[in-house]
Amino acid sequence: MADRADNRTSTAEATSAQEELIDQLRPVSELMVRSSNMVVFTGAGISTESGIPDYRGSDGVWKTNRIPTINDVKSDRQSREQRWQHQRDRYPKMQAQEPNAGHRAIARLEETGRVTVIVTQNIDGLHQKAGSAEERVLELHGSTHRVRCTQCGRRYDAQEILTRVQRGESDPRCEVCGGVLRPSTVLFGEPLPEATLQRAAQASADADLMLVVGSSLVVKPASQLPVVARKRGAELVIVNREATPLDDIATAVVRGESGPVLESLVQLVVNADARQERDPKSASSGC
Ligand code: NAD
């Protein structure tokens, strides 16, 4: 009896928390409904619900400091060999990681035709795995799923190279020119890929709304993109579980977990679109 009463209480609490969330999100969704040129900007926080630690969490790379420098990769064979072994052991787990509700909600938002690009600081490939269009995802820090030659630039799938490591090549080389291979992620001390950064900066300058999800907004130059967007007149919406240095310039800040927040937010946008289609005069009445 007591158990059933407890269940009823917790169901009622969950319903009221969901209603509160929807009330908080409604004005944000109205900004999104009005947008026709939106940039989504994501950080490590969107992937924590997929089991990938963020940068500054206790298991994060910031703490464990496993990112090599470009010099380690180019001139230190022993360091390269250690890294390939580490990658070989770690990659199956990375490949098995699945997108979560947040990545899926963004892919659904793309289907509404408002999103021009997704700028991500993540290297995990989960936006594409969730269904986001490859050509729309700008990976500012590269991808863990690719490897490239330091000499001729030839690209490889990480899996192909790691299979060679598995078969006994401790320091695999480029099959075209024999050059040293490197991960396709940005290493310590390296600049971001210029063409990608430029495309991201241009999209931010042109955007009418930027939605930032799960970024501490402290890693430059990526963290400047929302500032560029805001200065050029875009609305700025920040979804994060804790405060960020750009909260003060944002149009709206939603403090919460990215998966449930984005799921509800995008549902409100999709519902508004459906209402608008049924009755064009109801445009973003918010009911
Ligand atoms: P960050 O770790 O500096 O910040 C993540 C932010 O997200 C924090 O403010 C945290 O409070 C918030 N957060 C964590 N989980 C959340 C959730 N479920 N819902 C809402 N907010 C949540 O990450 P950053 O700003 O992206 O910058 C760090 C760098 O880390 C980038 O250079 C990136 O390349 C690298 N990185 C990438 C991955 C990945 O590919 N998934 C993982 C770790 C680090």
Side-chain angles (χ1 to χ4, degrees), residues 41-50 52-57 60-62 67 94 97 100 103 120-126 140-142 144 186 192 213-219 222-223 239-244 254-261:
F41 176 95
T42 65
I46 195 172
S47 294
T48 57
E49 289 164 46
S50 293
I52 305 174
D54 60 12
Y55 210 42
R56 286 168 181 75
V61 278
W62 188 255
I67 301 179
M94 294 175 88
Q97 273 144 358
N100 62 56
H103 299 102
T120 186
Q121 298 176 92
N122 297 344
I123 57 171
D124 55 31
L126 290 183
L140 288 180
H141 297 155
T144 196
V186 174
L192 302 194
V213 185
S215 175
S216 58
L217 293 174
V218 294
V219 183
S223 61
V239 176
N240 209 58
R241 70 157 67 126
E242 59 185 16
T244 81
V254 182
R255 198 65 57 75
E257 297 301 295
S258 53
V261 167

Side-chain angles (χ1 to χ4, degrees), residues 8-54:
R8 269 201 303 271
T9 312
S10 56
T11 310
E13 277 167 4
T15 310
S16 111
Q18 180 64 14
E19 282 167 2
E20 248 174 61
L21 177 65
I22 299 288
D23 284 345
Q24 192 197 349
L25 295 181
R26 208 178 293 284
V28 183
S29 74
E30 285 164 12
L31 293 173
M32 289 167 65
V33 167
R34 287 196 290 274
S35 167
S36 60
N37 187 351
M38 192 189 303
V39 170
V40 180
F41 176 95
T42 65
I46 195 172
S47 294
T48 57
E49 289 164 46
S50 293
I52 305 174
D54 60 12

Side-chain angles (χ1 to χ4, degrees), residues 60-71:
V61 278
W62 188 255
K63 296 275 168 19
T64 53
N65 201 12
R66 281 196 217 100
I67 301 179
T69 65
I70 184 62
N71 279 346

Side-chain angles (χ1 to χ4, degrees), residues 26-38 109 112-114 207-209 235 237 251 268-269 272-273 276 283-286:
R26 208 178 293 284
V28 183
S29 74
E30 285 164 12
L31 293 173
M32 289 167 65
V33 167
R34 287 196 290 274
S35 167
S36 60
N37 187 351
M38 192 189 303
L109 189 59
T112 72
R114 294 177 169 84
D208 60 15
L209 188 151
E235 309 287 1
V237 176
T251 322
L268 286 169
V269 175
D273 282 353
Q276 157 84 5
S284 96
S285 65

Side-chain angles (χ1 to χ4, degrees), residues 201-231:
Q202 189 61 56
S204 305
D206 294 343
D208 60 15
L209 188 151
M210 182 178 278
L211 172 64
V212 177
V213 185
S215 175
S216 58
L217 293 174
V218 294
V219 183
K220 282 185 182 162
S223 61
Q224 290 306 298
L225 295 173
V227 178
V228 168
R230 193 70 181 119
K231 279 192 177 149

